[in-house]
Amino acid sequence: MVPAHVPADRVVDFDLFNPPGVEDDFFAAWKALLDGPGLVWSTANGGHWIAARGDVVRELWGDAERLSSECLAVTPGLGEVMQFIPLQQDGAEHKAFRMAVMKGMASRFVVALEPKVVEISRELIDGLRPKGHCDFVAEFAEVVPLNIFLTLIDVPLEDRPRLRELGVQLTRPDGSMTVEGLMQAADDYLWPFIQKRMAEPGDDLFSRILSEPVMGRAWTEDEARRMCRNLLFGGLDTVAAMFGMVALHLARHPEDQRLLRENPDLIPAAADELMRRYPTVGVSRNAVADVEIDGVTIRKGDLVYLPSVLHNLDPASFDAPDAVNFGRDLTPIRHTTMGVGAHRCVGAGLARMEVIVFLREWLSQMPKFTLDPSQPVRMKGGNVGACTAIPLVWDA
Ligand code: HEM
């Protein structure tokens, strides 16, 4: 049922989890919406708005007053299960918890972590190079962010295989685990570490964050769980998806591979531009007040979906937005890949460093690589769109 306040010309049949053609091209599937009005009502998934033009995406994303983050996603029930901190908080409470997380992830810690990220990447690349081929998603993109996360929270190496399956379910769920099951498995795994860090803080990420007081008091155990869960769920599939898009771009553009191999100084700017060009995250908000925008009213209680792809790839946001141009001026950052406003990604510095290290290490240690023409690239939709298979080949 379409609510009475939604004009008929705004109604679309668009399932964000499965837009038409997404298996072949996530970006093209979404961009079909750019031809219509700036705000549309999707009848899929219980009915919700989708911001479908760059200026509308950005304006609504910045409106933390009238659009709450509590709901987490248009998927019914997901928000109640996850209860992420700080992602699902609003107002002063959000600010207090976010501040503690930001302090724990300050740039000096990101810089200090870089050698470890280099080591993790090199080890994997050394194993892959002699094979001459790989499924980049399963064999690199999904492995590195998980290992980095475990390094961040100081989990011993021998424990890592236990979290590998969970990591795969987080990045490529095969339906064998419910959201509740997944959340429980993550909590069960993380809990002993959280408890230990709360009792005897070390110098790992969890310890740093949990020893920052929030609103003048210590974190409760429940809050600690919800925050650690947010970091685990927030920093795996997003980074894996970004690695995948970057690798796919380079496999399809040998001229950019060559450019970056010959000019490694361009890599930080290339990372920024590739992150702008390949935005995969969309977020949900629930309106806590009426919002007039684009000639329609978002009513209090409505859900709104904000896809970063429709901001970054709108020609009104960036000139020739589909083109990858390493010389593009992206300062100050105007893209929404990492969000915008009160909830902008707290892991943005870490994610950028991970992409830069990946580009440096992969391009300096792998020969020229291409897509394997005998196997397809596969993509999926969802709150984090991603490649599910990227068959790469190179001369071993
Ligand atoms: C390329 C990789 C990444 C992308 C594309 C990404 C994207 C985003 C986006 C779009 C938001 C805003 C959410 C909203 O407005 O509702 C966000 C928030 C967040 N991200 Fe990331 N993220 C990435 C990596 C990471 C990493 C590595 C971590 C931590 C290990 C992380 C942790 C978080 C957290 C905790 C928040 C919530 C911030 C808040 O609510 O104040 N993310 N991310």
Side-chain angles (χ1 to χ4, degrees), residues 359-396:
L359 281 168
R360 273 197 194 122
E361 295 305 315
W362 189 274
L363 289 172
S364 64
Q365 290 175 53
M366 278 287 190
K368 182 181 159 196
F369 58 96
T370 54
L371 289 171
D372 179 347
S374 69
Q375 294 177 58
V377 170
R378 279 277 161 257
M379 297 197 188
K380 70 164 181 78
N383 295 313
V384 182
C387 295
T388 52
I390 308 177
L392 294 184
V393 286
W394 56 87
D395 197 347

Side-chain angles (χ1 to χ4, degrees), residues 192-202 207 210 221:
F193 295 102
I194 301 172
Q195 242 178 343
K196 204 161 155 232
R197 307 289 183 259
M198 288 182 92
E200 296 164 39
S207 298
L210 294 171
E221 288 187 352

Side-chain angles (χ1 to χ4, degrees), residues 274-295:
L274 290 164
M275 289 174 84
R276 177 207 63 84
R277 170 60 182 83
Y278 296 105
T280 60
V281 178
V283 302
S284 305
R285 298 287 191 259
N286 51 307
V288 290
D290 287 1
V291 181
E292 307 278 340
I293 189 164
D294 194 45

